[in-house]
Amino acid sequence: AASLDAKPYGQLSDEEKKVTAFHEAGHALVAAKLPNSDPLHKVTIIPRGMALGVTMQLPIDDKHNYTKDYLDTEIAIMMGGRLAEEIFLNQMSTGAGNDIERATEMARKMVCEFGMSQLGPLTFGKKEEQIFLGREINQHRDYSEATAIKIDEEVRRMISEGYQTAKAILENNREALARIAMALLEREVLDGDEVNALIA
């Protein structure tokens, strides 16, 4: 039966649209509420490539250096999409997979490369140039199993803190999130000012 009403590529079912609208509204609301985030530029539920929707932020200036507060904020924003689905639709979808992957990678870099965790100002994992092996950089583990466990714990703690930050924002602003999601379903694209007006 499914093949009879197969969707053209790039067209979402009503259910997928609803999930995507709440997911992107979650990202947008967390971004708008946190002081260290880049300003919201645009939110859309029009599919692009593999993404079912996009929340775009534009930095005020070109950044070459990022503070810990900024990176913590980015993790919380990434968690906002999954959380909006959980809280408002009582479900989890694969749509959050890329957010979770990016957040985990960022937390791991904060711990292993930037010395921004409770393990202190240390780097873990030497990068070695290995052109002759056919790949440019090889990660070499220069730490013990006990340290590997601590790194995993720190990454988990950072993700968990971002998750709790996003959760508090969404639960305390339920009506605003619903307004953003409904406006997205109706218009498909909102700019940053429109999102902020819906929150206010």
Side-chain angles (χ1 to χ4, degrees):
S3 61
L4 292 175
D5 55 4
K7 304 186 297 282
Y9 179 74
Q11 216 176 318
L12 300 183
S13 68
D14 288 346
E15 182 56 30
E16 283 173 322
K17 260 191 182 164
K18 184 181 173 188
V19 172
T20 305
F22 275 92
H23 183 103
E24 296 305 329
H27 287 314
L29 182 59
V30 176
K33 285 284 182 182
L34 286 175
N36 293 297
S37 71
D38 290 324
L40 268 178
H41 173 58
K42 190 166 78 168
V43 187
T44 174
I45 58 168
I46 298 168
R48 308 222 170 141
M50 298 298 284
L52 300 184
V54 181
T55 297
M56 285 175 66
Q57 295 166 264
L58 285 185
I60 296 166
D61 46 24
D62 288 338
K63 284 192 178 74
H64 302 288
N65 191 25
Y66 299 92
T67 64
K68 182 178 185 303
D69 286 342
Y70 177 85
L71 298 178
D72 285 337
T73 295
E74 285 295 295
I75 290 173
I77 293 167
M78 289 176 208
M79 294 291 115
R82 154 65 69 90
L83 270 159
E85 293 183 38
E86 281 183 43
I87 294 169
F88 291 85
L89 305 175
N90 203 23
Q91 67 166 44
M92 293 180 189
S93 79
T94 55
N98 184 245
D99 298 330
I100 294 166
E101 185 183 340
R102 282 167 52 224
T104 307
E105 194 179 317
M106 186 173 288
R108 194 163 283 282
K109 280 187 172 178
M110 288 168 75
V111 177
C112 294
E113 292 181 34
F114 310 142
M116 290 178 175
S117 79
Q118 290 176 7
L119 298 183
L122 297 163
T123 60
F124 302 99
K126 279 197 192 96
K127 286 196 165 95
E128 293 178 355
E129 302 281 333
Q130 299 217 330
I131 310 288
F132 61 89
L133 283 180
R135 68 182 99 143
E136 286 180 20
I137 293 177
N138 191 34
Q139 194 86 12
H140 170 64
R141 197 169 114 172
D142 57 359
Y143 48 86
S144 67
E145 191 56 42
T147 300
I149 290 166
K150 284 182 186 164
I151 290 169
D152 289 343
E153 284 168 357
E154 279 295 278
V155 170
R156 184 176 277 112
R157 181 184 63 78
M158 287 175 161
I159 299 289
S160 178
E161 283 177 5
Y163 186 90
Q164 293 307 326
T165 298
K167 189 174 188 180
I169 289 169
L170 297 188
E171 287 188 331
N172 292 328
N173 296 276
R174 283 171 169 266
E175 281 124 3
L177 189 127
R179 281 197 297 272
I180 298 165
M182 291 307 143
L184 277 170
L185 282 169
E186 199 179 303
R187 311 216 302 268
E188 294 193 329
V189 181
L190 299 171
D191 67 26
D193 291 339
E194 288 170 322
V195 172
N196 288 321
L198 287 163
I199 293 169

